[in-house]
Amino acid sequence: MALSFKKQKQGFTSAYMGIYGLWLLAFVVLPLLLLLVESLQDQNHHFTLANYQAFFTSGSYLAMTFNSIWYAFLITVITLVFAYPTAYFLTTLKNKQFWLLLVILPTWINLLLKTYAFIGLLGQGGLVNSTLTAVGLHPMQLLFTDWSFLLVAAYVELPFMILPIFNALSDIDPLLTAASRDLGANSWQTLKKVIWPLSMPGVKAGIQAVFIPSLSLFMITRLIGGNRVITLGTAIEEHFLVTQNWAFGSTIGVILIVAMVITMLLTQDKQKGGRS
Amino acid sequence: MKKIRTPYLIVMFLILYLPILYLVFYSFNAGTTMKGFAGFSFKHYGELWQDTRLIDIVFETGIVALLSSLLATIIGTLGALAIFRVHRGAVKGALLSLNNVLLVSPDVIIGAAFLILFTTFKFSLGFVTVLLAHVAFSIPIVVLMVLPRLQEMNPDLVLAAQDLGARPTQVLGQVTIPAITPGIVAGFFMALTYSLDDFAVTFFVTGNGFSTLAVEIYSRARQGVSLEINALSALIFLFSLVIAVAYYFINRLNQRQKAPELREKVK
């Protein structure tokens, strides 16, 4: 009996691994390989490195790479600055689960609907401009500027920064902050020396949850940023769905992946170093 | 700190809800734009009711979300069980890294890579490709939700069931699955959220014949403002609000019921 149990269980395990492994191969390994192959082809499906050469010798694409990372960085910083105090104050509230639900609720409204709302809010005669006129200022061109892109992107990503920080802050043992106060630290010192370091896992999770999606917000650049191609995400969309130059679109994709892998490896090493 | 807490939170919640309330407010506008309120009217709700294309799309989006989360939950749970039973650290690490590739990739790259995949194998773009894509990008989050539950599970439970003569199917159905159910449920809801929220991947792999709500709103918003969309947002917001409130009260009720039970157990 015991042997047959073990054999049967092994059979199950191989079946699970078979199904899951099939998914890994078909939808993770294969698509990425195909993307790589596509990027190494010319129009007639012959092997070429010309796409990469074109990317790295083109000033506009290098500038766009810098722009993408810069915008994603700015969006991450803006959301972090606003999200951290929000998450912190929320953890000190009485009914905090209820308030947290109110933070989650806007994420259930589709991203496109929220972006669409900003077309009204920022447009000529929209709420922001009529408020400006009401207080005696001149209405401004707000839509189709880089600022409007940053604003909308930061708004959309804000809850995804608040949530992990809130969770990390909730996990902190309240006795630790009490101990810090007993030992004579003022609330600023407690925040800086106890709460901030202990909430770092949440901050890191939040940065990851915001930075990566910020690279592919092409719909916001299209609808709010004025249909200009200013980030690599928009460039990939343009090459695949507008100009149909899949090979070059794939090249940008591969470069973005490589850049991300390098960034992740670097941050991982730092974490290990910090721990040891 | 307490002095700035309340005003700060009020401002943050105003910012979070301003765009949504703005949409809802103008859904009642008798005019046709999101500037200048021309009087109260339900006419855009009437237009929405007449727009069978949009209503169909809402239902199709729901079907894709439910079906893809269900499939992703099944495959993801099997994946978590498979990864859990791998004992060699290096293999486990490799599997987990592969699992997380789709979680850390930007949506445009996933969309582009899936588009190449589907066209290479001559799939016609539409419902099937959208469904497959949603299943594929939801699986890794299910794995990550289920795996910790397996690791927290007491291994003696399985051994005890085995000693008592349970067959592997019984161990799985009566010991393992019940123990990891919270993780499976959380994974299902995460998959549902991912599917409903997705725009970029769907936009790449959907053909001309099939559309989800996000893709439809995108193409309509590019043509200009239509207050029918506002009416739809108002209904979606109301629906989400009802679910959130219901969830909150059910949760509270459960906790109240559990509290006396726990006290009994402590005694």
Side-chain angles (χ1 to χ4, degrees), chain A residues 31-182:
Chain A
L32 291 182
L33 275 180
L34 287 171
L35 192 77
L36 182 66
V37 170
E38 184 76 37
S39 74
L40 294 170
Q41 284 179 350
D42 62 14
Q43 301 277 327
N44 306 315
H45 301 286
H46 294 303
F47 174 83
T48 175
L49 283 173
N51 294 316
Y52 288 89
Q53 197 190 1
F55 185 96
F56 285 109
T57 50
S58 147
S60 65
Y61 277 103
L62 290 177
M64 205 185 286
T65 311
F66 174 76
N67 251 343
S68 308
I69 294 165
W70 175 239
Y71 280 129
F73 172 76
L74 282 180
I75 293 165
T76 313
V77 170
I78 295 169
T79 49
L80 181 61
V81 166
F82 285 98
Y84 198 89
T86 311
Y88 177 72
F89 289 141
L90 283 177
T91 53
T92 63
L93 291 178
K94 222 177 168 188
N95 257 330
K96 57 179 181 179
Q97 291 305 328
F98 171 77
W99 295 106
L100 184 69
L101 203 59
L102 279 188
V103 173
I104 298 174
L105 190 58
T107 67
W108 294 352
I109 311 293
N110 195 285
L111 165 81
L112 266 298
L113 287 176
K114 287 182 282 190
T115 310
Y116 168 77
F118 277 94
I119 299 179
L121 274 169
L122 301 177
Q124 286 174 339
L127 182 70
V128 177
N129 267 326
S130 33
T131 316
L132 284 178
T133 325
V135 294
L137 291 167
H138 285 291
M140 289 189 290
Q141 173 66 38
L142 297 166
L143 272 185
F144 315 133
T145 61
D146 294 359
W147 286 107
S148 62
F149 167 67
L150 280 178
L151 173 74
V152 178
Y155 167 76
V156 164
E157 301 293 346
L158 187 62
F160 299 102
M161 184 64 93
I162 297 177
L163 289 177
I165 298 177
F166 175 89
N167 288 333
L169 286 170
S170 298
D171 285 345
I172 296 175
D173 188 344
L175 290 176
L176 287 174
T177 49
S180 149
R181 292 220 177 90
D182 278 351

Side-chain angles (χ1 to χ4, degrees), chain A residues 207-260:
Chain A
I207 290 174
Q208 213 189 15
V210 170
F211 188 85
I212 296 164
S214 297
L215 293 170
S216 46
L217 292 174
F218 68 86
M219 48 289 183
I220 298 182
T221 34
R222 290 281 193 216
L223 292 175
I224 298 285
N227 216 4
R228 291 166 301 138
V229 183
I230 48 172
T231 62
L232 288 183
T234 323
I236 294 176
E237 189 252 359
E238 171 109 352
H239 283 300
F240 269 91
L241 301 176
V242 184
T243 60
Q244 299 284 331
N245 186 354
W246 287 19
F248 199 74
S250 305
T251 308
I252 303 173
V254 171
I255 291 167
L256 211 59
I257 292 174
V258 171
M260 274 177 33

Side-chain angles (χ1 to χ4, degrees), chain B residues 69-81:
Chain B
S69 340
L70 196 68
L71 290 170
T73 308
I74 295 169
I75 303 174
T77 306
L78 296 182
L81 282 165

Side-chain angles (χ1 to χ4, degrees), chain B residues 147-159:
Chain B
L147 199 57
R149 294 281 167 178
L150 282 168
Q151 280 154 350
E152 283 166 15
M153 201 174 95
N154 186 347
D156 293 342
L157 286 176
V158 175
L159 291 177

Side-chain angles (χ1 to χ4, degrees), chain B residues 79-225:
Chain B
L81 282 165
I83 294 176
F84 179 64
R85 288 181 188 169
V86 171
H87 294 294
R88 282 181 50 198
V91 180
K92 205 173 208 163
L95 281 172
L96 273 174
S97 307
L98 273 179
N99 183 68
N100 295 351
V101 166
L102 292 186
L103 283 179
V104 299
S105 303
D107 286 350
V108 272
I109 294 181
I110 299 177
F114 283 180
L115 177 63
I116 300 176
L117 176 78
F118 290 136
T119 44
T120 307
F121 291 97
K122 306 269 188 289
F123 278 72
S124 63
L125 299 178
F127 174 77
V128 175
T129 48
V130 172
L131 182 71
L132 283 174
H134 282 222
V135 172
F137 71 62
S138 302
I139 288 174
I141 190 68
V142 177
V143 172
L144 288 193
M145 290 283 155
V146 176
L147 199 57
R149 294 281 167 178
L150 282 168
Q151 280 154 350
E152 283 166 15
M153 201 174 95
N154 186 347
D156 293 342
L157 286 176
V158 175
L159 291 177
Q162 205 175 320
D163 281 349
L164 293 166
R167 280 175 285 115
T169 40
Q170 288 174 312
V171 175
L172 182 71
Q174 294 175 24
V175 180
T176 312
I177 298 282
I180 61 173
T181 298
I184 298 176
V185 172
F188 176 78
F189 280 105
M190 286 300 286
L192 204 63
T193 315
Y194 271 38
S195 172
L196 287 175
D197 209 38
D198 178 67
F199 165 71
V201 178
T202 313
F203 191 62
F204 273 85
V205 298
T206 192
N208 290 322
F210 185 77
S211 183
T212 63
L213 191 58
V215 175
E216 181 70 12
I217 294 166
Y218 179 72
S219 61
R220 289 193 185 197
R222 291 195 81 176
Q223 288 158 18
V225 168

